[in-house]
Amino acid sequence: MSTTTLDTNAQPIDRFVSAFQVNHGQALNGTNTSVAERREAAIQRFQELGVPTRKQEAWKYTDIASILDRPYTLPLGPEEADVSAEDLAPYLIDDLDAHVLVLVNGRPDHALSQLDALPEEVTVGSLKDAGEHPAFNAHYGEYADVEEETLTALNTAFVQDGAFIHVPEGTEVEQPILLLHVNAAQDDLLMQPRHLFVVEADAKARVIGRQLSLTDARTFTNTVTEMFVGERGYLDHYVIQEEDDNASQVLSRFGYHKDDSVLSTDTFTFSGEVVRNNMTLTPDGPNCETNLYGLVIGHGSMHVDNNTLVDHVHADCVSNELYKHILNDQSTTVFNGKVFVHRDSQRIDAYQSNDSLVLNNDAQIYTKPELEIYADDVVCSHGATAGQLDEEGLFYLRSRGLSQERARILMMKAFAQDVIDVVEIEPLKALIEDRVQDRLHTFAR
């Protein structure tokens, strides 16, 4: 594999521009003119925007510049990674009957994947191989915000591969699609996968992204996911973030869905050094339902930043947003959620809430739920709470015979339960409950 190492002696913008000039010949589907043109425009826009700093309001509480300012290796082709089916076996979800696409360091590994039972008309595979697919040409790059999101521009310039899912009109994929993202970098690595999910009209799919580490290397993953759901379509998307404490990432999701459709994205964050989740969902048609849910279990020095936008550009839609954080040690979470209702978007019903449970004085939460409304016939609410375990509640449970540890676990689990309960895939729900329970046991001691 050919690689280049980012020059930390140069200014941040210059080091990526220089790497782009080296990397340009390795372009994803280099014969695809539109992809090549998007690359050129994206690196120019990245030069104009620069690396995000804490002087910008959107990054005020997250120092992503220092995480990027490291001598990462930038892959210019497939990286050799010694990953076997035996290595992955512990990370397959018990009792889950699923179509499995394994991505090693951001690239699909078909030898490790399990896609033989996939319906013939459904496509699950490599983004690199999708260049001639009509859905790729219709949707790639149409929803990701290159103009305002600097790390999305960076991803668009450097992307080489990722996952491509296409569910044609009227098709229901009965089994979930599990994207098993394996971080197996041998050196400190900067990866930039790109995913595109297209669920056509009257189609239905459920996608699970599980992120894990098989390495102690220090890594940064800058991922962009674009999602399209057609009329009366349904896409339920879950992300479980449990990479190593040396792994940082920015995961940017852009969703666009049409009339009478449902688009849900649920994020469960259990580990990572610095994690930033950007979500922009745009319901563009009447009777759309948009759902965003998140749960963060913070420990050690984890820093997790959830930044969301529901952009109501059409009337007669519903959106629900609920994020909960349980913070211990020196962990930090940031929530910046915005609901934007355009002038002609009447009869919007939007709910947004962020609740945080802070277990000690060293953990920190920064929260800013926002509503920006330009229509007058709407029902919109937002709010945030932060506090510690209720001492009276603990006393009540102790008086009923529970130990201090058991009482604390029970109260923390009850706090998180309404986010866990939105998971409709039972084996996945059981996995999340086990992960939450294991972590809360350590908090309660």
Side-chain angles (χ1 to χ4, degrees):
M1 178 193 72
S2 59
T3 63
T4 185
T5 300
L6 294 175
D7 180 9
T8 53
N9 293 319
Q11 293 297 314
I13 297 175
D14 295 337
R15 72 184 65 154
F16 284 106
V17 172
S18 175
F20 177 81
Q21 293 170 349
V22 174
N23 192 37
H24 188 263
Q26 303 289 335
L28 166 67
N29 293 324
T31 58
N32 189 315
T33 303
S34 66
V35 172
E37 290 174 348
R38 288 183 189 276
R39 284 181 178 277
E40 295 288 349
I43 197 63
Q44 292 179 21
R45 186 56 181 158
F46 174 75
Q47 284 183 275
E48 295 166 359
L49 294 171
V51 174
T53 70
R54 296 183 68 169
K55 294 181 180 179
Q56 299 167 256
E57 183 65 25
W59 294 89
K60 184 176 181 179
Y61 301 109
T62 300
D63 184 12
I64 204 68
S66 66
I67 301 297
L68 280 170
D69 192 18
R70 293 172 176 174
Y72 296 111
T73 296
L74 194 68
L76 305 185
E79 184 190 14
E80 296 180 5
D82 186 16
V83 177
S84 68
E86 289 73 21
D87 295 327
L88 300 181
Y91 302 100
L92 296 175
I93 301 172
D94 292 343
D95 301 320
L96 180 67
D97 181 14
H99 311 288
V100 182
L101 178 65
V102 176
L103 298 101
V104 179
N105 298 335
R107 297 173 179 272
D109 188 321
H110 296 286
L112 295 173
S113 302
Q114 303 171 17
L115 298 171
D116 293 343
L118 195 70
E120 184 177 352
E121 65 274 16
V122 176
T123 302
V124 177
S126 168
L127 187 75
K128 184 178 180 182
D129 297 334
E132 300 306 316
H133 196 290
F136 177 92
N137 291 307
H139 297 285
Y140 177 79
E142 292 298 312
Y143 315 112
D145 185 0
V146 174
E147 288 302 309
E148 299 298 330
E149 297 291 342
T150 183
L151 291 177
T152 300
L154 187 66
N155 173 282
T156 302
F158 281 95
V159 60
Q160 294 182 346
D161 210 343
F164 173 67
I165 297 175
H166 177 249
V167 183
E169 183 174 350
T171 301
E172 178 178 350
V173 184
E174 295 183 2
Q175 288 77 29
I177 300 168
L178 173 61
L179 303 182
L180 199 58
H181 299 269
V182 182
N183 185 343
Q186 299 175 8
D187 303 302
D188 292 358
L189 194 68
L190 193 158
M191 298 163 280
Q192 305 203 68
R194 183 70 168 247
H195 309 312
L196 175 61
F197 308 154
V198 179
V199 178
E200 304 283 9
D202 299 298
K204 180 177 181 179
R206 294 170 296 167
V207 178
I208 303 168
R210 188 177 185 190
Q211 303 169 343
L212 56 100
S213 292
L214 298 179
T215 177
D216 295 327
R218 191 168 57 177
T219 61
F220 184 91
T221 307
N222 178 32
T223 303
V224 172
T225 299
E226 294 181 285
M227 301 177 285
F228 171 83
V229 184
E231 293 87 348
R232 300 169 302 282
Y234 178 95
L235 174 59
D236 200 3
H237 180 225
Y238 301 93
V239 174
I240 302 93
Q241 297 173 320
E242 46 185 340
E243 290 187 319
D244 190 78
D245 291 340
N246 289 328
S248 295
Q249 66 169 300
V250 173
L251 173 56
S252 300
R253 277 165 276 178
F254 299 90
Y256 180 87
H257 57 125
K258 299 294 291 180
D259 312 18
D260 303 289
S261 62
V262 178
L263 175 57
S264 301
T265 181
D266 310 331
T267 309
F268 298 88
T269 307
F270 298 110
S271 57
E273 181 182 4
V274 174
V275 178
R276 165 81 170 213
N277 292 308
N278 295 320
M279 280 150 286
T280 300
L281 302 185
T282 305
D284 189 9
N287 305 312
C288 285
E289 179 182 331
T290 310
N291 302 304
L292 298 92
Y293 298 98
L295 177 64
V296 178
I297 308 294
H299 65 100
S301 58
M302 278 176 62
H303 183 106
V304 182
D305 184 344
N306 286 308
N307 191 286
T308 72
L309 168 64
V310 180
D311 192 13
H312 282 288
V313 300
H314 201 285
D316 300 298
C317 292
V318 174
S319 63
N320 301 290
E321 184 169 1
L322 176 62
Y323 278 76
K324 290 204 168 184
H325 307 147
I326 302 177
L327 307 180
N328 201 26
D329 304 322
Q330 296 82 42
S331 60
T332 300
T333 61
V334 182
F335 176 80
N336 190 348
K338 186 171 187 177
V339 175
F340 192 102
V341 180
H342 289 252
R343 189 172 303 278
D344 295 326
S345 299
Q346 304 292 349
R347 296 171 300 282
I348 298 298
D349 188 346
Y351 166 83
Q352 181 190 78
S353 180
N354 171 224
D355 301 315
S356 299
L357 187 58
V358 184
L359 301 180
N360 59 50
N361 293 330
D362 295 324
Q364 299 181 75
I365 168 69
Y366 302 93
T367 181
K368 189 173 73 169
E370 299 178 72
L371 297 175
E372 190 166 344
I373 302 171
Y374 296 94
D376 56 13
D377 184 10
V378 301
V379 179
C380 298
S381 64
H382 71 306
T385 65
Q388 298 181 327
L389 286 173
D390 178 45
E391 291 298 330
E392 289 188 6
L394 285 172
F395 178 79
Y396 175 83
L397 293 175
R398 294 293 308 280
S399 71
R400 294 302 186 268
L402 273 68
S403 67
Q404 176 78 4
E405 178 178 337
R406 181 59 186 157
R408 286 171 60 84
I409 292 172
L410 192 62
M411 290 190 69
M412 289 187 286
K413 180 72 182 310
F415 175 82
Q417 194 63 48
D418 48 357
V419 178
I420 298 172
D421 284 343
V422 304
V423 179
E424 296 182 354
I425 303 170
E426 287 302 323
L428 176 62
K429 183 177 180 180
L431 170 74
I432 292 170
E433 288 188 318
D434 287 345
R435 291 290 180 271
V436 170
Q437 192 79 2
D438 289 345
R439 186 58 51 78
L440 297 185
H441 268 289
T442 67
F443 289 179
R445 291 170 187 161

